[in-house]
Amino acid sequence: MSGFSAEWLSLRERYDGAARNAKVLDAVRRHFAGQTAIAVVDLACGTGSTVRTVGPYLPVRQSWLLVDNDLSLLARTSTLSQPPNLGVTARPVDLARDLELALDGPLDLVTASALLDLVSAEWLDRLIIEAAVRRLPIYAALTYDGRTVMQPAGSFDKEVLVGFNAHQRTDKGFGLALGPAAATRAIDRFEHFGYAVVQGRSDWVFGPEDRPIQEALFEGYAEVAALTTQMTAAEIGSWLAQRRYHLAEGRSHLRIGHVDMFAWPTANR
Ligand SMILES: C[S@@+](CC[C@H](N)C(=O)[O-])C[C@H]1O[C@@H](n2cnc3c(N)ncnc32)[C@H](O)[C@@H]1O
């Protein structure tokens, strides 16, 4: 699990697609059902997973502005298939600095997937306020919420997960990250700023057949545990070996909690 590499984003995309909450996606679809065209900005787009997955729920004529600060990820969006009804523009933007640039222009919808847990409480408020003044709805998916269950349970799972959640709260470029608190905080702040919110869980559920992604996640947990826990290198090594053993034996299950939400400005604000 190496940061936001294209390989990691590609590995997770099909699980993200399966996890996205159907009720929330349906709320997005219904909100725009009367329109024949839509302009969307996807914040922190990576390689374009949200266009591929959410596009089918939106009006047929779509114009997407994809923004990210990673040029190599943005470059990969050029491989998106572009049928005649779909226009895609990729633009490098540092959202920590220039969020407002991404939101200017004629837009109907803001999307963001796997972003809100990276940002600070201050940046989240900035996003919601800037969206509110433009009366823009926001679909924010796959926000990690701190619920993780590994089966079979093993020694040091708890320490590793506490260390991982502590790391999730460190600065990811937007100030101290909300990490596992992001979803609850976002719902609260959307409502505070006059938005209605539909939300639901979008957990990753991995079984024994999902070995590469479980392997990547366990490796990532072990790396982070070395930075954020009191565990010795030997203890971390033994924890990782135990998880790999369960994987090799075809009995490793992993559930990781996420929340999706669709928020839209209500008429009376
Ligand atoms: C977890 S990935 C999610 C990518 C994509 N939304 C998806 O679901 O596949 C987080 C994304 O945030 C982007 N990102 C991180 N910091 C950023 C910043 N300051 N400005 C713009 N994008 C940023 C990363 O480059 C990465 O593409």
Side-chain angles (χ1 to χ4, degrees), residues 21 25 47 82 103 112 125 155 168 172 180 199 225 231 234 243:
N21 186 281
L25 273 174
T47 64
Q82 292 205 28
L103 298 178
D125 269 11
S155 44
Q168 291 295 102
K172 308 291 188 307
Q199 53 105 5
M231 291 169 69
R243 300 276 28 135

Side-chain angles (χ1 to χ4, degrees), residues 1-52:
M1 183 171 52
S2 60
F4 311 124
S5 70
E7 293 68 31
W8 167 243
L9 296 184
S10 163
L11 183 58
R12 62 176 284 174
E13 181 164 330
R14 84 179 161 96
Y15 298 104
D16 286 348
R20 283 177 194 267
N21 186 281
K23 177 185 74 177
V24 176
L25 273 174
D26 194 52
V28 177
R29 184 189 61 73
R30 281 187 285 108
H31 192 87
F32 297 104
Q35 297 180 207
T36 54
I38 188 167
V40 190
V41 60
D42 186 35
L43 306 179
C45 63
T47 64
S49 169
T50 306
V51 185
R52 286 184 284 273

Side-chain angles (χ1 to χ4, degrees), residues 63-188:
S63 140
W64 286 78
L65 172 62
L66 305 184
V67 302
D68 204 286
N69 68 343
D70 185 320
L71 296 184
S72 74
L73 295 179
L74 266 186
R76 288 170 199 254
T77 64
S78 64
T79 61
L80 280 165
S81 77
Q82 292 205 28
N85 285 330
L86 179 68
V88 177
T89 305
R91 183 179 301 161
V93 177
D94 176 356
L95 289 167
R97 199 186 57 195
D98 294 325
L99 166 68
E100 295 73 10
L101 282 183
L103 298 178
D104 281 342
L107 283 174
D108 302 296
L109 172 67
V110 179
T111 60
S113 302
L115 173 66
L116 295 192
D117 44 78
L118 304 178
V119 309
S120 62
E122 293 72 25
W123 193 91
L124 176 68
D125 269 11
R126 182 173 154 204
L127 169 64
I128 299 173
I129 290 167
E130 292 297 332
V133 296
R134 295 165 176 81
R135 300 199 59 73
L136 285 170
I138 302 186
Y139 168 67
L142 298 156
T143 302
Y144 173 63
D145 73 356
R147 288 175 297 115
T148 301
V149 180
M150 299 176 196
Q151 296 287 348
S155 44
F156 291 118
D157 290 349
K158 190 165 169 234
E159 288 82 350
V160 167
L161 290 177
V162 167
F164 181 71
N165 284 338
H167 188 260
Q168 291 295 102
R169 291 187 203 96
T170 59
D171 190 339
K172 308 291 188 307
F174 294 86
L176 281 186
L178 284 161
T184 306
R185 172 89 185 184
I187 292 161
D188 183 57

